[in-house]
Amino acid sequence: MQRASQYRRPPPIRGISTVVKVVGTIASGYAGVLALLWLSQKQIIFPGAGVLTPYKPTRTGGTLLRTQQGAVGLTFPAGAGQPTVVFLHGNGDQLAWSPAELGASMHARGIGFVGVEYPGFGPAGGSPSESTINEAARLLVAEVMARDEIPPDKLVIFGQSIGCAPALVLCEQYPEARVVLVSPFVSVQRMAVDAYPFLRPASWLLRWMIADKFDNDAQARRVANRALVVHGTQDEIVPFVHGQHVHRALWNALPLHAVDGAHHNDILAYPAATDSIFQFISDP
């Protein structure tokens, strides 16, 4: 009689458990990074909120205006027959800084100026968000236009960086106005993926995670205002390709004005940028 062969169990595959542990650790770490970005998104998007400065918004002249609803702005009157520029600044700026300088420069040329302050920035109370910024801009512009009897076709809406988003929203309310977009980005989601390439696999999730989307690409497709887009070729914060993308989305834009060598924060120091902007503002 033959002896029954003994069954031998194969040795355990230890590598699989190690791989599972490593994958689990990586996934946990990735989820942790996403959670951290989600929790800190306000600080990332609005770094200028709550920053104190010894300077006053009126240090170069003008008048500080507060609406009954709490919107705050810096205004300079327009000369007879001259346009009025509504300026919406970047996310690290505030009225007392570049808007005060730009307002004085506009005023010296006879151009009216309305610098919009964002809730939580400079002298404005409240908390910044896409909706509160849009509302502050709407309230301030409506009040100044009614007070100074500014016709819509004498309005020029000027956004820089994150200010391009509320500028495009205002265009829907004032289709006769012209619009200047300096260093616009496609959307906060696209900016996040470009700044942190490791987020690309989770890009589908970002659209739900990001509270303040500032989707300039979608908004640009809804406006037909005459537009000028200006972008620095060496912009290290909002890459030049973002300006190209937003420019293509606009229906009625002049050729994209690329400023050779300009970065994100110094573009308005380049005459190649400011000369084209002043010419566009002053054209009848």
Side-chain angles (χ1 to χ4, degrees):
M1 187 170 122
Q2 292 181 336
R3 294 180 60 188
S5 60
Q6 292 183 338
Y7 173 75
R8 294 184 178 180
R9 291 170 52 185
I13 304 175
R14 301 182 185 280
I16 290 180
S17 63
T18 302
V19 169
V20 170
K21 289 179 180 178
V22 170
V23 170
T25 301
I26 293 173
S28 297
Y30 192 74
V33 171
L34 289 178
L36 181 61
L37 290 173
W38 178 72
L39 291 170
S40 58
Q41 62 181 290
K42 286 289 185 184
Q43 289 80 9
I44 295 171
I45 297 173
F46 305 113
V51 175
L52 300 177
T53 177
Y55 301 109
K56 293 182 178 180
T58 54
R59 65 186 177 85
T60 61
T63 303
L64 192 67
L65 172 66
R66 292 182 185 270
T67 71
Q68 288 185 343
Q69 300 88 348
V72 178
L74 176 66
T75 68
F76 289 82
Q82 292 295 315
T84 293
V85 170
V86 175
F87 182 64
L88 300 120
H89 62 69
N91 65 352
D93 208 348
Q94 57 177 281
L95 282 185
W97 296 342
S98 66
E101 299 287 346
L102 187 60
S105 179
M106 296 279 182
H107 183 61
R109 296 169 181 253
I111 300 168
F113 182 82
V114 182
V116 178
E117 190 57 288
Y118 304 153
F121 282 67
S127 177
S129 70
E130 184 172 13
S131 60
T132 61
I133 289 172
N134 287 338
E135 180 66 3
R138 184 189 69 80
L139 291 168
L140 196 66
V141 173
E143 177 148 333
V144 173
M145 289 188 70
R147 183 194 70 183
D148 298 344
E149 299 181 341
I150 301 169
D153 63 351
K154 285 293 184 181
L155 192 66
V156 181
I157 304 167
F158 182 166
Q160 182 178 13
S161 191
I162 204 170
C164 294
L168 285 168
V169 172
L170 281 174
C171 285
E172 282 196 284
Q173 187 176 356
Y174 301 103
E176 305 95 335
R178 283 169 285 168
V179 62
V180 178
L181 304 176
V182 175
S183 311
F185 53 77
V186 173
S187 66
V188 169
Q189 179 182 347
R190 174 71 179 273
M191 281 290 293
V193 170
D194 285 354
Y196 308 105
F198 64 85
L199 292 177
R200 197 170 299 277
S203 58
W204 63 273
L205 185 59
L206 293 180
R207 74 182 65 171
W208 307 108
M209 291 177 59
I210 296 171
D212 302 298
K213 295 177 172 54
F214 292 111
D215 191 343
N216 290 330
D217 176 57
Q219 188 64 34
R221 297 178 191 279
R222 292 196 285 267
V223 303
N225 303 59
R226 187 180 175 201
L228 172 68
V229 179
V230 181
H231 211 115
T233 59
Q234 299 302 312
D235 194 320
E236 72 286 8
I237 295 176
V238 179
F240 183 69
V241 67
H242 281 250
Q244 292 176 308
H245 193 116
V246 173
H247 178 262
R248 286 194 298 269
L250 291 162
W251 291 14
N252 189 19
L254 297 180
L256 174 64
H257 188 75
V259 182
D260 268 348
H263 298 81
H264 191 73
N265 292 322
D266 67 0
I267 187 167
L268 293 182
Y270 280 71
T274 53
D275 289 350
S276 67
I277 291 169
F278 279 120
Q279 181 178 347
F280 179 77
I281 290 170
S282 301
D283 280 348

